[in-house]
């Protein structure tokens, strides 16, 4: 079980609130405020969700400059009786315009409800709280629920748009000398499209489950292939795994990586697996990213069988799957680019 919680200092203060410890009464109020902040932290996310649903970021962006509050309120589809409440609500700031597709996914009831089942999950043998809530895995649920599948794919595409720009600009050398690439679990192809456009010498394949890629049209150097990465992966010089392995436990990751290695060696020459994932453990470098990485780690626990990993854990997976070496480049904010060699 992952161990998260208050710091030792905070723990001492909260524990010291009991009268028999003789701590000042002010610590009781400080501890209460600390707990209140944890309890009500969901308000930030839900307020942001409301702001996006009301198109507030779009209205401000279209205006093109700082916008008077009165004009902003007049531009929104709100009932006249709610204008006073809106004045108070609009203390929000820093609307993440580029992530408007990611937030509805994370805050979708399908994603939120499993958190209500954590205590139940700890007492049974279900693989995830998501399974406890829905009686199936997240992937099976997406296969049977087209609306949720669309929201999921849009969220992954929004992240891929940002990451692909950084990868193409900052990691150009990663793709030099390669002739083919398979984007495993590539969704609707946002990442592969950017790579195919920037590196026209690459023959790119977006490889995902059939219900994800059905009906999608490729281009001159990009095509879509449906299949199961646990069974086989199309042959190529390079395999891309962006935000895939953190969805799976260690045993499942080794199976995926072994299939990647088979796809590389079947070409008869050396290639590499290109992984874009979080690497835990660099607290001094990460700074403000530490909490965000922990949130993602907890999200993996709630929804799927995976987790976020540190370098030692990543290395164990690579060597267990038969790879000989790897290189980690931390260029992508929360995420790192890992090149893994046969």
């Amino acid at each position: 079980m992952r161990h998260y919680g208050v710091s030792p200092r905070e723990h001492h203060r909260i524990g010291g609130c009991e009268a028999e410890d003789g701590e000042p009464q002010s610590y009781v109020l400080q501890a209460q405020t600390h707990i209140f902040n944890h309890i009500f932290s969901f308000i930030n996310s839900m307020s942001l969700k409301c702001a996006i649903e009301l198109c507030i970021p779009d209205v401000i962006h279209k205006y093109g400059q700082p916008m008077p509050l009165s004009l902003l309120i007049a531009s929104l589809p709100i009932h006249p009786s709610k204008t006073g409440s809106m004045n108070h609500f609009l203390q929000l700031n820093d609307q993440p315009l580029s992530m408007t597709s990611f937030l509805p996914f994370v805050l979708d009831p399908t994603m939120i409800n499993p958190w209500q089942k954590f205590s139940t999950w700890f007492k049974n043998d279900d693989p995830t709280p998501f399974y406890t809530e829905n009686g199936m895995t997240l992937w099976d649920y997406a296969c049977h629920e087209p609306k949720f599948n669309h929201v999921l794919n849009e969220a992954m595409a929004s992240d891929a748009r940002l990451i692909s720009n950084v990868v193409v600009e900052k990691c150009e050398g990663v793709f030099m000398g390669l002739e083919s690439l398979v984007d495993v679990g590539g969704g609707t192809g946002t990442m592969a499209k950017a790579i195919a456009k920037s590196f026209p010498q690459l023959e790119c394949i977006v490889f995902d489950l059939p219900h994800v890629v059905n009906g999608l049209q490729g281009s001159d150097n990009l095509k879509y292939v449906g299949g199961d990465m646990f069974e086989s992966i199309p042959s190529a010089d390079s395999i891309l795994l962006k935000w895939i392995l953190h969805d799976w436990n260690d045993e499942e990751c080794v199976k995926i990586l072994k299939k990647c290695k088979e796809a590389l060696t079947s070409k008869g020459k050396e290639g590499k697996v290109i992984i874009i994932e979080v690497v835990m453990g660099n607290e001094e470098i990460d700074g403000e990213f530490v909490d965000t990485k922990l949130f993602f780690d907890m999200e993996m626990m709630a929804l799927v069988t995976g987790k976020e990993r540190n370098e030692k854990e990543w290395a164990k997976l690579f060597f267990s799957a038969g790879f000989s070496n790897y290189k980690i480049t931390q260029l992508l904010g929360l995420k790192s680019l890992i090149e893994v060699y046969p």
Side-chain angles (χ1 to χ4, degrees):
M1 174 181 170
R2 297 165 175 82
H3 178 71
Y4 305 124
V6 297
S7 68
R9 183 180 181 186
E10 291 168 330
H11 181 75
H12 170 73
R13 287 183 172 181
I14 294 172
C17 292
E18 299 178 6
E20 61 266 29
D21 287 343
E23 292 287 340
Q25 196 70 16
S26 62
Y27 284 156
V28 176
L29 300 177
Q30 184 176 354
Q32 183 188 51
T33 301
H34 178 87
I35 298 301
F36 274 147
N37 285 339
H38 280 289
I39 291 172
F40 291 116
S41 61
F42 75 94
I43 292 174
N44 287 329
S45 298
M46 291 305 178
S47 298
L48 184 58
K49 181 175 185 286
C50 178
I52 290 176
E53 290 174 344
L54 292 174
C55 299
I56 292 174
D58 297 327
V59 171
I60 296 174
H61 180 71
K62 186 176 181 180
Y63 192 71
Q65 57 184 308
M67 194 174 191
L69 184 58
S70 59
L71 180 57
L72 174 58
I73 292 175
S75 303
L76 298 175
I78 61 174
H79 192 275
S81 66
K82 303 299 195 304
T83 55
S85 299
M86 181 55 64
N87 271 292
H88 190 69
F89 176 80
L90 284 172
Q91 301 305 312
L92 292 170
N93 53 37
D94 295 328
Q95 303 299 328
L97 292 173
S98 64
M99 296 181 66
T100 52
S101 296
F102 200 86
L103 185 138
F105 168 64
V106 175
L107 297 183
D108 187 284
T110 303
M111 301 287 282
I112 294 294
N113 290 342
W115 289 91
Q116 306 281 0
K117 298 298 177 70
F118 248 101
S119 60
T120 302
W121 172 71
F122 273 115
K123 293 181 282 188
N124 64 33
D125 62 352
D126 291 343
T128 64
F130 187 96
Y131 190 96
T132 301
E133 169 69 17
N134 296 285
M136 65 182 76
T137 68
L138 183 145
W139 315 116
D140 287 339
Y141 187 91
C143 182
H144 292 94
E145 296 290 339
K147 183 179 179 181
F148 177 74
N149 183 60
H150 175 74
V151 172
L152 187 158
N153 287 328
E154 285 297 305
M156 296 303 103
S158 71
D159 180 75
R161 279 189 287 272
L162 175 60
I163 294 299
S164 62
N165 288 336
V166 177
V167 168
V168 168
E169 180 180 347
K170 301 292 186 181
C171 307
E172 181 179 5
V174 172
F175 303 97
M176 299 302 291
L178 299 175
E179 297 178 0
S180 56
L181 177 142
V182 177
D183 184 0
V184 175
T188 55
T190 302
M191 189 82 180
K193 287 176 184 176
I195 294 173
K197 181 178 179 180
S198 299
F199 305 97
Q201 84 281 3
L202 272 177
E203 293 294 327
C204 296
I205 294 174
V206 179
F207 181 71
D208 213 316
L209 293 170
H211 76 271
V212 176
V213 300
N214 279 348
L216 298 177
Q217 299 298 315
S219 61
D220 291 341
N221 65 327
L222 183 143
K223 65 179 180 179
Y224 292 86
V225 175
D228 184 342
M229 63 185 174
F230 287 101
E231 295 180 0
S232 66
I233 295 172
S235 298
D237 299 341
S238 58
I239 308 294
L240 175 64
L241 296 168
K242 176 196 170 292
W243 244 5
I244 300 299
L245 296 178
H246 76 160
D247 291 331
W248 305 95
N249 65 31
D250 289 354
E251 181 181 356
E252 292 162 331
C253 283
V254 170
K255 289 180 180 179
I256 295 168
L257 287 167
K258 284 182 176 180
K259 293 301 178 182
C260 290
K261 191 169 185 293
E262 291 174 6
L264 292 176
T265 56
S266 66
K267 292 292 289 184
K269 59 180 180 179
E270 290 190 357
K272 60 183 172 181
V273 178
I274 303 166
I275 298 171
I276 298 175
E277 288 277 8
V278 165
V279 177
M280 303 284 280
N282 296 323
E283 281 77 7
E284 293 182 3
I285 299 175
D286 291 344
E288 63 181 331
F289 296 137
V290 172
D291 285 348
T292 311
K293 289 183 176 183
L294 293 176
F295 285 144
F296 274 112
D297 193 29
M298 290 294 292
E299 184 83 333
M300 294 305 103
M301 182 191 290
L303 303 176
V304 291
T305 58
K307 63 179 181 178
E308 307 298 349
R309 297 174 169 89
N310 59 34
E311 181 175 353
K312 183 178 179 180
E313 291 169 321
W314 281 119
K316 182 179 179 181
L317 294 182
F318 302 150
F319 297 141
S320 295
F323 288 88
S324 63
N325 200 6
Y326 68 91
K327 174 185 175 183
I328 298 178
T329 304
Q330 188 171 10
L331 289 176
L332 305 172
L334 284 173
K335 306 181 192 74
S336 295
L337 187 144
I338 311 173
E339 296 168 83
V340 189
Y341 306 97

